[in-house]
Structures are given as C-alpha cells and as structure tokens.
Amino acid sequence: PSHHTLLMTGAAGGLGQAMRARLQANCQVLRLSDIGAMAPAQAGEEVVQADLADADAVKSLVAGCQAIVHFGGVSTEQPWGPILQANIIGAYNLYEAARIHGVKRVVFASSNHVMGFYRQSEVVDALSPPRPDGLYGLSKAFGEDLSRLYFDRYGIETACVRIGSSFPEPKDRRMLASWMSYDDLHRLITACLTTPVLGHSIIYGTSDNSVSWYDNHLARHIGYRPQDSSDTYRDAVYARTPEPDLSDPAVQFQGGGFVKIGPL
Ligand code: 15L
C-alpha cells in the first residue's frame, strides 16, 4: 500500500461505490466521505459524513490522511447553486485543507465535459485548450486550474483525471469512445497514487477503445496501461441503438447530450 490513510470523497456516488472495495488494496485505512448516507464502515474503513461546502468539516476530514481521491461533488449538469457549493467551494475547501494538513497527492475526478465542445472528429490531449460544455464541465475546469495553483505554489501533486464514461458497460454508441471500465479506473488511480513523480498532470480516463477522442501521450510518466476495451461491446451496442442523426449536437460533440442541457 502506498499510503497509510487514503481519503475518498463522494463515497456514496456511482464511482465511489465502485472504487470502495478496490481501494482497500491501496492503503491501510480507507476514509470515506459523502454528503449523503454511506454503507457502514467495514474493517479498515472510516466513514465520515461531511458537506464539501463546509470548510471546517472538510478540514477535519482531511486531517491525518496522506492522499485523497476526490470523487465528491455534483456529477451531472445542474443549476449554478449546487455546482457552486459542491464543485467550486467544495474543491477550494478540499485544497485548502490539503495545504493546511500537508497532504501532497490528490487524484481529482475531472471529466470529459471539460472538453465537451470538441467534435467527435477531433482528438484532444493534455495541452488542448478546455472547451467546457456546461456549468458542470466549467466547474471541473475550475478544479483543474485550482489544483494547478496548489501545485505551483505549494507542491501538492494532482492528477486531473478527465474520466470519460465509467459504467459497468458502455450504454450507447458515444460511450464506445468514452468508456472506462471500473477495473481500468482503479488501475489508473493506483498508477496516480504510486508513480514516483506525478507533478500536475492531466490524463484522460479511458479504457483501450479502438475509437477514441483522447490522446494520453503527455501522461506517459503516470504509467497507466488500460487492459479493458469497449470493443467487446461494439456489436451489441450497435444492434440495440438507432442509427445516429448526424445533425444532432449530441452526436457531433464529444460531450454528447450534455451540450444541450440548459438554459444555463
Ligand atoms: C460525467 O462527467 C458524468 O459524471 C457521468 O455521469 C457521465 O455522464 C459521463 O460524464 C459521460 O460523459 O458519459
């Protein structure tokens, strides 16, 4: 295990629940937090209910951990109020707490929606300028810049993982390009927690899909090698989904349906 106490925020969410058992292998103590209710603590776990927008609560949450996997916050397009509280203020509170308590490494669950207004005919890498597809994507872009500031000023290393679509299986044709298996997500988090020098890095969270919009050549130092692929689901997904309407923005842009959710 690379860290004695590892904090995972957002433990009640989809990815938090999927990573909870897997991350046991990465630490002696897995501290879990969420604003909502979580399953009771098992051996080797601590469960702490906390609102990311509450600075004092976040400070106590972070005390005593060596690394953080930050899944907490709003994970879909929402009105400005909840995005501001959970993703903007919440991310600030988390990094302030990390600075105060000397936490040196964070894995930040960013999102493909930071880049959602690139076309599905384009390939993006870590240096492509952000083109968020809504307030949610914008809040993730803020988290990425915030973590860069805390790296440049205080040396807190962060991997901004622009997760594509991490679900048990790709749900539609778009996800054949954006899909990431839970096992690959865990492999990527493990690589981020254990690579000797992480720095401030942007990496796309994706499996080894033949059709892809993401180029991770600038994140080779993390040492992530995906082992799964959406290719095994391709035929089944094509068979059960309709021919795409190419005039639909949800089909033209990488962010899919998110590019149409509004008004902002
Ligand atoms: C995300 O950022 C969401 O959290 C997730 O629920 C999916 O919608 C995913 O992006 C996606 O783009 O498929």
Side-chain angles (χ1 to χ4, degrees):
S2 52
H3 303 281
H4 183 274
T5 301
L6 175 65
L7 168 64
M8 183 181 76
T9 66
L15 297 185
Q17 291 186 60
M19 291 305 115
R20 182 170 172 168
R22 289 173 173 88
L23 285 177
Q24 291 272 357
N26 300 67
C27 55
Q28 265 93 57
V29 177
L30 182 60
R31 187 177 297 169
L32 302 157
S33 86
D34 203 281
I35 195 171
M38 291 157 282
Q42 311 284 306
E45 291 181 344
E46 296 172 2
V47 167
V48 186
Q49 211 166 336
D51 180 354
L52 290 169
D54 178 344
D56 290 334
V58 174
K59 257 178 240 161
S60 1
L61 183 63
V62 166
C65 54
Q66 286 77 50
I68 303 173
V69 175
H70 183 43
F71 286 128
V74 165
S75 68
T76 52
E77 189 62 22
Q78 298 277 326
W80 175 240
I83 299 254
L84 174 65
Q85 293 304 317
N87 292 19
I88 306 278
I89 296 174
Y92 172 75
N93 288 342
L94 189 85
Y95 275 88
E96 266 298 278
R99 179 184 68 77
I100 289 162
H101 291 295
V103 179
K104 287 297 185 198
R105 197 170 283 202
V106 180
V107 179
F108 170 52
S110 185
S111 170
N112 74 88
H113 295 287
V114 168
M115 311 301 276
F117 263 123
Y118 281 89
R119 292 184 178 268
Q120 296 192 6
S121 55
E122 293 175 292
V123 173
V124 290
D125 68 17
L127 291 176
S128 309
R131 295 181 75 172
D133 58 26
L135 296 178
Y136 165 65
L138 184 63
S139 75
K140 291 296 187 183
F142 171 84
E144 292 187 357
D145 280 357
L146 178 80
S147 64
R148 191 178 291 274
L149 173 64
Y150 276 73
F151 175 65
D152 289 340
R153 276 216 187 192
Y154 308 115
I156 300 175
E157 296 185 297
T158 293
C160 298
V161 183
R162 290 180 180 161
I163 302 172
S165 306
S166 195
F167 295 101
E169 292 184 9
K171 297 179 182 174
D172 53 29
R173 295 189 189 198
R174 170 180 167 272
M175 287 190 192
L176 292 171
S178 58
W179 187 66
M180 180 179 223
S181 72
Y182 289 153
D183 286 340
D184 276 345
L185 177 59
H186 180 242
R187 285 180 193 107
L188 175 50
I189 294 170
T190 300
C192 293
L193 291 174
T194 56
T195 194
V197 179
L198 179 62
H200 183 272
S201 301
I202 288 169
I203 184 164
Y204 292 88
T206 180
S207 283
D208 186 16
N209 310 326
S210 292
V211 172
S212 176
W213 310 316
Y214 314 131
D215 177 348
N216 272 334
H217 79 283
L218 295 170
R220 294 281 304 274
H221 64 289
I222 295 175
Y224 165 61
R225 284 179 195 276
Q227 291 179 23
D228 297 321
S229 171
S230 69
D231 295 11
T232 45
Y233 302 95
R234 172 168 299 275
D235 291 348
V237 169
Y238 269 71
R240 68 163 189 261
T241 53
E243 199 63 36
D245 168 7
L246 297 179
S247 70
D248 182 353
V251 175
Q252 293 171 345
F253 294 102
Q254 295 185 7
F258 278 57
V259 306
K260 300 198 291 189
I261 304 171
L264 296 179

